[in-house]
Amino acid sequence: MDLRSNVDTLIDRFKDGDKMALAKAMTLVENGASELVDRIKSEKNMKSESEPWIIGITGAPGVGKSTLIDKLIDPFSTDNKRVFVFAVDPTSKLSGGAILGDRVRMQRYATNDNVFIRSVATRGSNGGVSYHLIDMIDLALAFGYDIVIVETVGAGQIDLDIFDISDTTVLVLMPEQGDGIQTYKAGMTEMADIFVINKADKRGADKMVEQLRVMMSTRAVRKWQSPILKVISTENVGIDILVKELKRHRRYLLSSKKIKDRERLRKLMKVKGNMLAKFEASLSKTLEGLSNEELDSLNRHEMYIRILKNFLDGKEGEDECQ
Amino acid sequence: MKRKLRVLIAKPGLDGHDRGAKVVAHALKDAGIEVIYTGLRQTPLQIVNTAIQEDVDVIGLSILSGAHMRLFPEIMKLLKEKKTAGILVFAGGVIPEDDIPKLNEIGIQHVFTPGTPTDEVVSFLKNKFPDRV
Ligand SMILES: Nc1nc2c(ncn2[C@@H]2O[C@H](COP(=O)(O)OP(=O)(O)O)[C@@H](O)[C@H]2O)c(=O)[nH]1
Ligand SMILES: [Mg+2]
């Protein structure tokens, strides 16, 4: 029997803590079945004593994000926390396929009951994360994971980005990285809660710290001053301090009530992501369905009306999950 | 919108390199498939747990070390125990012709022998999942 086509059984098994049911629910939701999240949340008693914590780890390919997360899982899971990792990688624009290889660096946890790793392709979205990622995060939390870590290549436009999704975002850099921090959009360094200079075993780490400090000094004084940490992920150096700083940021969010702002932003982004996915699918269908004659004869306005009408009728681009 | 095909490319055993597995992974990606890659030296339990977490439709096992007759049955047994009904398993790497019938018998749908062009792997999957690739 395919659990994916038997939603009642799927939900029952999800409530019983069956990981296979969680994985299959993730697939459904990733393909647009957002209602499933609402159903599960309404039926399952959510653990209310602990606030969720969503940590974003972002940075260019190769800076060591996956290696860093591998080292981060340990201190969190020995804290008796259950950790869920989403490893997001880009979908090839050309083929629509993807190679999702982040978990190579974390495979020692494949047999750890308190750790669940799921690879996610960005698919249609251009914001560096998948449209349905927030729904998937909600599933992980509903299942009982305490900490969700999201790895993403933060190359997306600031459209639907990791900063909107995470409570705490870590920007990972490394020495001798291209043109250094200048390559990052101002927004990106503006928004990072913690900077990690990874591969601090390589030359140029101190210079990079210095560059960042200079940059930070021009930014308005805030309650939270984003720390700059040197880390060597491969040798587990600096991880303890990073964990301390992560927890300090978390306390700051909780005490300043900023955590509620982040939650609100996340809810907004979820609606936005769902809508964008549905609209994009509908739009493509409508465009494909236009004849050459229509393309020449319809004016802009008529075209828009056609697109919106098809979208509202919901006939086109309906998400199909089987 | 069709559900994207998800394929796990896994390397069981003590092989020292994974060039072949990576070539296949790239070919599948170019065919529009989402490929999850495990890296080297995976135990049967790691592979099966990964397949469950990633909810893959297919597992491709790549092996060079000659330990397939020991490791593949273990993997198939675990898949059965964990009731992962419906995952299609294929294999490739250095596997003698003589072993293939035995492997088919334990549920490995297809074994690609060394030198198989990657196109063949792609068309094999296209055949099995006509509306998904
Ligand atoms: N020298 C050095 N190499 C590292 C360090 N952290 C990660 N690496 C290496 O950098 C490469 C890319 O790491 P990965 O975690 O896959 O990067 P990601 O693409 O950002 O996830 C791998 O070969 C790692 O072993 C570090 O602290 N020092
Ligand atoms: Mg990575």
Side-chain angles (χ1 to χ4, degrees), chain A residues 222-239:
Chain A
R222 299 178 189 176
K223 282 227 182 76
W224 176 261
Q225 294 286 333
S226 308
I228 304 165
L229 312 174
K230 285 197 290 180
V231 170
I232 308 172
S233 294
T234 39
E235 288 162 41
N236 223 336
V237 173
I239 301 292

Side-chain angles (χ1 to χ4, degrees), chain B residues 8-27:
Chain B
L8 179 70
I9 297 291
K11 284 210 57 86
L14 300 175
D15 294 1
H17 80 79
D18 56 358
R19 211 171 334 114
K22 282 183 171 160
V23 169
V24 170
H26 276 275

Side-chain angles (χ1 to χ4, degrees), chain A residues 6-267:
Chain A
N6 191 337
V7 174
D8 290 331
T9 315
L10 178 81
I11 293 179
D12 283 342
R13 284 178 52 181
F14 186 104
K15 289 194 284 193
D16 287 344
D18 177 344
K19 294 206 171 103
M20 196 188 296
L22 170 62
K24 303 236 177 234
M26 287 276 173
T27 305
L28 290 177
V29 163
E30 184 174 30
N31 285 281
S34 313
E35 323 76 49
L36 182 62
V37 184
D38 302 335
R39 241 189 98 182
I40 285 176
K41 277 167 87 174
S42 71
E43 286 190 28
K44 189 174 192 291
N45 282 334
M46 303 279 289
K47 281 203 301 181
S48 52
E49 71 276 14
S50 71
E51 292 255 6
W53 189 11
I54 297 157
I55 301 173
I57 309 283
T58 190
V63 295
K65 300 177 294 297
S66 303
T67 313
L68 178 72
I69 292 171
D70 175 64
K71 298 302 189 297
L72 270 182
I73 295 172
D74 253 342
F76 282 131
S77 58
T78 48
D79 254 8
N80 231 345
K81 299 279 188 228
R82 302 179 77 192
V83 183
F84 197 110
V85 179
F86 286 102
V88 184
D89 271 315
T91 291
S92 151
K93 279 247 157 66
L94 216 59
S95 71
I99 291 191
L100 311 170
D102 292 319
R103 61 178 306 145
V104 170
R105 318 240 180 257
M106 314 172 199
Q107 270 305 79
R108 62 182 167 133
Y109 297 105
T111 52
N112 182 324
D113 257 349
N114 288 325
V115 180
F116 195 115
I117 300 166
R118 177 75 175 222
S119 312
V120 181
T122 54
R123 301 209 174 160
S125 109
N126 64 2
V129 293
S130 142
Y131 286 137
H132 296 293
L133 187 63
I134 304 180
D135 282 326
M136 296 168 83
I137 290 173
D138 277 353
L139 279 183
L141 297 173
F143 195 84
Y145 287 90
D146 307 289
I147 297 174
V148 173
I149 301 177
V150 182
E151 169 178 349
T152 140
V153 178
Q157 293 155 19
I158 314 288
D159 183 20
L160 185 73
D161 215 72
I162 189 65
F163 298 100
D164 302 324
I165 287 176
S166 316
D167 297 309
T168 305
T169 309
V170 179
L171 178 59
V172 185
L173 304 154
M174 66 178 188
E176 299 161 359
Q177 182 185 333
D179 308 320
I181 38 190
Q182 269 69 30
T183 52
Y184 280 93
K185 295 192 194 96
M188 205 131 163
T189 42
E190 271 295 298
M191 290 172 78
D193 300 305
I194 296 173
F195 293 96
V196 162
I197 314 291
N198 190 40
K199 307 197 188 184
D201 50 321
K202 298 206 171 198
R203 274 182 44 203
D206 288 319
K207 195 173 135 209
M208 193 150 209
V209 171
E210 209 38 56
Q211 281 180 324
L212 264 179
R213 286 234 169 85
V214 170
M215 221 166 100
M216 303 278 287
S217 64
T218 63
R219 120 180 174 176
V221 178
R222 299 178 189 176
K223 282 227 182 76
W224 176 261
Q225 294 286 333
S226 308
I228 304 165
L229 312 174
K230 285 197 290 180
V231 170
I232 308 172
S233 294
T234 39
E235 288 162 41
N236 223 336
V237 173
I239 301 292
D240 46 345
I241 298 173
L242 174 57
V243 171
K244 261 190 210 144
E245 290 297 304
L246 282 166
K247 289 182 176 169
R248 191 166 69 85
H249 184 256
R250 169 119 182 108
R251 284 196 301 276
Y252 159 77
L253 288 178
L254 288 170
S255 65
S256 65
K257 302 279 177 265
K258 275 220 183 323
I259 198 102
K260 293 287 165 212
D261 299 348
R262 304 265 174 154
E263 255 179 63
R264 180 186 150 79
L265 193 55
R266 200 145 55 223
K267 281 179 188 157

Side-chain angles (χ1 to χ4, degrees), chain A residues 27 95 98 100 103 119 123, chain B residues 29 34-35 42 49 54-55:
Chain A
T27 305
S95 71
L100 311 170
R103 61 178 306 145
S119 312
R123 301 209 174 160
Chain B
K29 179 197 87 175
E34 287 182 359
V35 183
Q42 298 293 296
N49 281 356
E54 300 285 356
D55 191 22

Side-chain angles (χ1 to χ4, degrees), chain B residues 10-60:
Chain B
K11 284 210 57 86
L14 300 175
D15 294 1
H17 80 79
D18 56 358
R19 211 171 334 114
K22 282 183 171 160
V23 169
V24 170
H26 276 275
L28 298 185
K29 179 197 87 175
D30 290 342
I33 293 169
E34 287 182 359
V35 183
I36 293 104
Y37 182 58
T38 63
L40 293 164
R41 298 194 186 88
Q42 298 293 296
T43 65
L45 186 59
Q46 279 178 311
I47 292 171
V48 171
N49 281 356
T50 302
I52 292 173
Q53 292 182 2
E54 300 285 356
D55 191 22
V56 293
D57 308 284
V58 179
I59 302 175

Side-chain angles (χ1 to χ4, degrees), chain B residues 64-125:
Chain B
L64 309 169
S65 66
H68 51 276
M69 293 311 272
R70 184 172 56 81
L71 293 171
F72 287 6
E74 249 183 82
I75 293 168
M76 298 313 285
K77 185 166 147 254
L78 273 174
L79 285 172
K80 212 176 239 164
E81 272 171 25
K82 302 214 173 204
K83 300 203 172 64
T84 60
I87 299 184
L88 182 151
V89 182
F90 74 86
V94 184
I95 297 172
E97 296 271 359
D98 289 351
D99 293 341
I100 296 178
K102 262 237 177 74
L103 295 176
N104 289 148
E105 216 167 273
I106 61 168
I108 293 174
Q109 292 254 333
H110 197 89
V111 177
F112 294 98
T113 44
T116 308
T118 52
D119 298 0
E120 260 177 54
V121 185
V122 172
S123 26
F124 167 74
L125 290 176

